[in-house]
Amino acid sequence: MASHNKVLFLAFLQLLIALSVAYRSDQCGLKLGFYKRTCPSAEIVIAETTHRFISLTSTLAAPILRMHFHDCWVRGCDGSVLLDSTKKNTAEKAAAPNLRLKGYQVIDAAKSAVEKICPGVVSCADILALVARDAVETIHGPYWDVPTGRRDGRVSLASEALANLLPPFANITRLKLGFASKGLSVKDLVVLSGGHTIGTALCSSFTNRLYNFTGKGDARRRGLLQSDAALLDDPETKAYVELQATTHGSTFAQDFAESMVNMGKIGVLTGKAGEIRKHCAFVN
Ligand code: HEM
């Protein structure tokens, strides 16, 4: 009898563990292979389209990665950054921090390729998350599995982009608060700042640091943006930066993959919320 109880108890424990794993993987309503039944080739078609564009113009990978970040930061990863302004509304796209985003044509090409095989099924928010991953992979950066199931938002306001996106001169306190407000950790902050391994920045984002113009020692060795250099002003972020800078044992690629998945879950719309846009630049 005692051993029978033990078997039952173990089975119950296993069930609890299985349920908690299922709950965790589905906490925000996203899951790997969301389109497996409804549009089995979606991810392949998106990857092929991205590969075609990025192989020809590899410099688009950086602004597309940034586009995914800027999408998630404003109203969650709901494709709101992709919407065009209208007569009555100035969209996120038109806000100053988004003016140098590029690569919308890659998103549009992936969307029309997917619409051809499964109309009205795959969201623009998911396409952006997948294209960002595939673009980074094409230029031999880290790879991560993208949980899908995001739906598209209907609202995009330039004022919200301005209010939410962090400026290049943000100090460590502001950066930590900004990430915490999106449910991301200090580790996510330092790891995702590694996104700046690729791409370019306008002089206006960093000229004040070049020659110590302010006389306050703002010029800080190698960090291009003040927000990057600020990662050395906090014991936790500094320890991580220094660990990754050692030649052996860097976990950056794996950590970046994990943090990108975390970022991709911010404020997502799932289930019946939002819509599946027909065209990524316009609400239905
Ligand atoms: C931590 C807060 C962050 C701040 C303050 C910040 C700020 C900036 C600024 C000012 C630029 C230069 C833009 C320009 O001059 O055109 C830039 C570029 C870039 N950012 Fe960030 N960023 C942050 C986080 C991130 C994250 C989390 C990612 C992605 C994981 C990212 C990816 C990029 C990329 C790839 C570029 C280069 C874009 C290009 O070449 O066009 N950034 N960022």
Side-chain angles (χ1 to χ4, degrees):
M1 188 63 178
S3 71
H4 181 70
N5 279 348
K6 206 167 149 188
V7 170
L8 270 182
F9 175 71
L10 283 177
F12 180 61
L13 203 67
Q14 269 175 348
L15 182 73
L16 271 185
I17 293 170
L19 281 176
S20 80
V21 169
Y23 174 71
R24 255 187 289 142
S25 62
D26 219 2
Q27 226 169 13
C28 61
L30 302 182
K31 63 177 186 185
L32 291 177
F34 180 83
Y35 300 107
K36 211 155 94 189
R37 278 201 212 105
T38 50
C39 192
S41 348
E43 294 203 20
I44 296 169
V45 167
I46 292 167
E48 280 170 0
T49 309
T50 309
H51 188 75
R52 210 174 54 242
F53 275 86
I54 303 298
S55 309
L56 283 174
T57 318
S58 59
T59 50
L60 283 181
I64 290 175
L65 173 64
R66 189 170 181 232
M67 192 191 291
H68 179 33
F69 163 53
H70 283 200
D71 183 34
C72 294
W73 228 249
V74 185
R75 289 191 170 258
C77 317
D78 67 342
S80 52
V81 74
L82 303 170
L83 287 171
D84 277 355
S85 296
T86 61
K87 273 188 195 152
K88 288 187 182 158
N89 181 56
T90 311
E92 288 173 30
K93 241 180 206 181
N98 285 334
L99 291 178
R100 278 207 342 122
L101 294 182
K102 273 180 281 187
Y104 295 104
Q105 71 276 27
V106 187
I107 311 296
D108 290 343
K111 174 68 170 173
S112 28
V114 164
E115 285 297 298
K116 265 189 203 140
I117 49 170
C118 344
V121 173
V122 184
S123 70
C124 295
D126 273 346
I127 291 177
L128 175 53
L130 290 162
V131 168
R133 186 272 312 274
D134 294 333
V136 169
E137 195 207 10
T138 309
I139 59 162
H140 310 293
Y143 180 89
W144 58 98
D145 287 319
V146 176
T148 42
R150 297 169 189 79
R151 292 178 54 95
D152 297 323
R154 296 191 184 94
V155 178
S156 178
L157 304 169
S159 56
E160 289 187 345
L162 269 179
N164 279 272
L165 293 167
L166 291 157
F169 49 81
N171 64 20
I172 190 68
T173 311
R174 186 159 177 194
L175 292 169
K176 282 166 85 172
L177 278 173
F179 270 64
S181 74
K182 304 291 171 191
L184 294 189
S185 69
V186 174
K187 184 171 180 191
D188 291 321
L189 159 65
V190 59
V191 171
L192 291 174
S193 297
H196 293 161
T197 307
I198 55 171
T200 59
L202 276 187
C203 290
S204 56
S205 312
F206 59 87
T207 34
N208 63 320
R209 294 164 39 70
L210 284 179
Y211 311 109
N212 194 14
F213 284 166
T214 60
K216 289 183 193 157
D218 304 64
R220 279 200 206 96
R221 304 183 67 203
R222 290 187 188 160
L224 183 68
L225 305 178
Q226 193 173 320
S227 63
D228 294 326
L231 299 174
L232 297 174
D233 294 343
D234 169 271
E236 197 180 345
T237 51
K238 184 176 188 216
Y240 183 86
V241 172
E242 285 176 348
L243 183 72
Q244 299 306 321
T246 58
T247 47
H248 54 275
S250 169
T251 54
F252 175 68
Q254 197 186 321
D255 295 344
F256 189 73
E258 268 173 38
S259 290
M260 282 305 293
V261 172
N262 295 340
M263 189 185 92
K265 291 180 180 171
I266 298 174
V268 289
L269 300 174
T270 55
K272 296 209 163 95
E275 62 184 19
I276 303 295
R277 272 178 227 149
K278 291 193 177 73
H279 188 294
C280 292
F282 314 107
V283 293
N284 290 345

